[in-house]
């Protein structure tokens, strides 16, 4: 009987998690890792063949029919549809993201918001991206949505009423990137103090922080607040 990937993982020669690819005990000998190239386009009609050749190609993330259904339903609100590493990403107009998400949740079975975050593209237009990683648990499908916004109008409709899990994701995005989510009922900062005026995940924010912007506890019990967490890096050397 031919050995299946699960059979192989059950042997003592396996390590790691439930990947599709076979794995080798690194202690046996020096190994050369294989590189599996997944083309950006061209998976149409080839998923089954590529799955046998490339364990990273997944039919669960290749969803052209779903992208077409969204285009037919929402028209120009659906922008570019990209395919990278076998994963479909659909760009959605900001004004329609809530309606698109509601249709995916209520009518198309995407019942789980597994992750949501932001990207600073550091461009003059459409500087920020908000991405949503969605799962249809029953159909075993994964879909990524993206919305782009300008720095001067970094506001996106909240999807918290659709997936409760969006609560902390949207608060984190506001705290660290400064993107506001219209309709979020409690958009407080998550990590930084409420009166902190910066958003540290933005690319222009200094790696060593801004001296004086965030008073930290003193280094000694009765000492003053620490106004620069990286004093040496900013040239402030201790007195001898």
């Amino acid at each position: 009987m031919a050995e299946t990937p699960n059979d192989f993982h059950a042997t003592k020669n396996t390590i790691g998690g439930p990947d599709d690819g076979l794995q080798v005990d690194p202690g046996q000998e020096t190994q050369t890792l294989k590189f599996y190239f997944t083309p950006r386009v061209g998976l149409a009609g080839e998923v089954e063949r590529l799955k046998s050749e490339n364990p990273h190609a997944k039919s669960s993330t290749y969803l052209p029919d779903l992208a077409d259904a969204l285009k037919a339903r929402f028209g120009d609100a659906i922008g570019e549809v990209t395919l990278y590493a076998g994963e479909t990403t659909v760009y959605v107009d900001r004004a329609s993201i809530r309606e698109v998400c509601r249709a995916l949740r209520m009518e198309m079975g995407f019942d789980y918001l597994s992750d949501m975050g932001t990207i600073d593209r550091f461009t003059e237009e459409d500087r920020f991206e908000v991405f949503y990683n969605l799962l249809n648990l029953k159909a075993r499908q994964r879909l990524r949505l993206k919305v782009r916004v300008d720095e001067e109008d970094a506001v996106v409709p909240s999807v918290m009423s659709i997936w409760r899990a969006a609560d902390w994701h949207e608060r984190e995005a506001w705290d660290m990137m400064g993107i506001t989510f219209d309709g979020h009922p409690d958009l407080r900062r998550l990590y930084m103090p409420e009166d902190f005026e910066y958003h540290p995940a933005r690319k222009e924010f200094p790696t060593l922080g801004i001296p004086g912007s965030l008073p930290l506890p003193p280094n000694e019990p009765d000492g003053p607040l620490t106004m620069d967490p990286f004093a040496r890096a900013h040239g402030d050397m201790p007195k001898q």
Side-chain angles (χ1 to χ4, degrees):
M1 179 180 295
E3 185 178 61
T4 67
N6 285 338
D7 293 332
F8 188 92
H9 280 287
T11 71
K12 62 181 180 181
N13 293 324
T14 61
I15 59 174
D19 275 336
D20 290 343
L22 302 182
Q23 301 183 34
V24 179
D25 183 351
Q28 291 181 343
E29 58 185 68
T30 301
Q31 301 289 325
T32 300
L33 297 177
K34 294 181 179 180
F35 175 74
Y36 295 104
F37 173 71
T38 302
R40 182 177 177 85
V41 296
L43 287 182
E46 299 181 321
V47 172
E48 291 304 320
R49 179 180 65 81
L50 288 174
K51 282 176 66 177
S52 64
E53 299 177 1
N54 183 346
H56 297 166
K58 306 287 186 181
S59 58
S60 60
T61 60
Y62 177 63
L63 305 171
D65 293 342
L66 179 60
D68 290 342
L70 291 174
K71 284 184 176 180
R73 172 80 175 272
F74 295 98
D76 293 340
I78 304 300
E80 183 182 8
V81 177
T82 65
L83 182 68
Y84 178 75
E87 297 181 353
T88 300
T89 298
V90 178
Y91 285 81
V92 181
D93 181 73
R94 170 177 61 173
S96 300
I97 183 62
R98 185 179 290 154
E99 286 69 28
V100 172
C101 287
R102 182 174 289 109
L104 286 165
R105 170 73 174 86
M106 304 300 180
E107 303 172 27
M108 301 179 183
F110 284 82
D111 48 0
Y112 181 33
L113 174 67
S114 66
D115 192 18
M116 178 180 170
T118 56
I119 299 168
D120 185 354
R121 303 169 63 237
F122 212 52
T123 54
E124 291 188 4
E125 297 182 356
D126 293 339
R127 173 176 172 175
F128 301 114
E129 277 186 352
V130 181
F131 64 85
Y132 309 76
N133 291 331
L134 310 178
L135 271 70
N136 181 331
L137 296 175
K138 184 177 181 180
R140 299 183 178 182
Q141 293 179 329
R142 294 175 178 267
L143 179 68
R144 181 183 299 109
L145 303 182
K146 283 189 175 182
V147 171
R148 286 181 175 174
V149 293
D150 285 325
E151 179 179 359
E152 300 302 321
D153 187 22
V155 181
V156 177
S158 172
V159 297
M160 187 181 154
S161 62
I162 302 169
W163 294 288
R164 188 67 173 79
D167 184 0
W168 282 33
H169 291 304
E170 292 181 350
R171 284 181 58 188
E172 181 181 38
W174 155 244
D175 189 3
M176 303 304 288
M177 197 67 85
I179 296 175
T180 301
F181 291 87
D182 185 34
H184 191 291
D186 187 23
L187 200 62
R188 290 174 292 136
R189 304 198 79 135
L190 197 60
Y191 305 116
M192 310 305 293
E194 283 295 328
D195 58 352
F196 192 67
E197 58 182 312
Y198 305 98
H199 302 286
R202 291 191 174 191
K203 287 187 176 179
E204 74 269 23
F205 190 83
T207 302
L208 296 178
I210 300 174
S213 64
L214 183 63
L216 298 173
N219 293 323
E220 301 174 356
D222 298 325
L225 293 175
T226 303
M227 303 305 293
D228 185 354
F230 299 99
R232 282 177 176 270
H234 289 122
D236 185 8
M237 303 298 291
K239 297 179 181 178
Q240 299 295 326

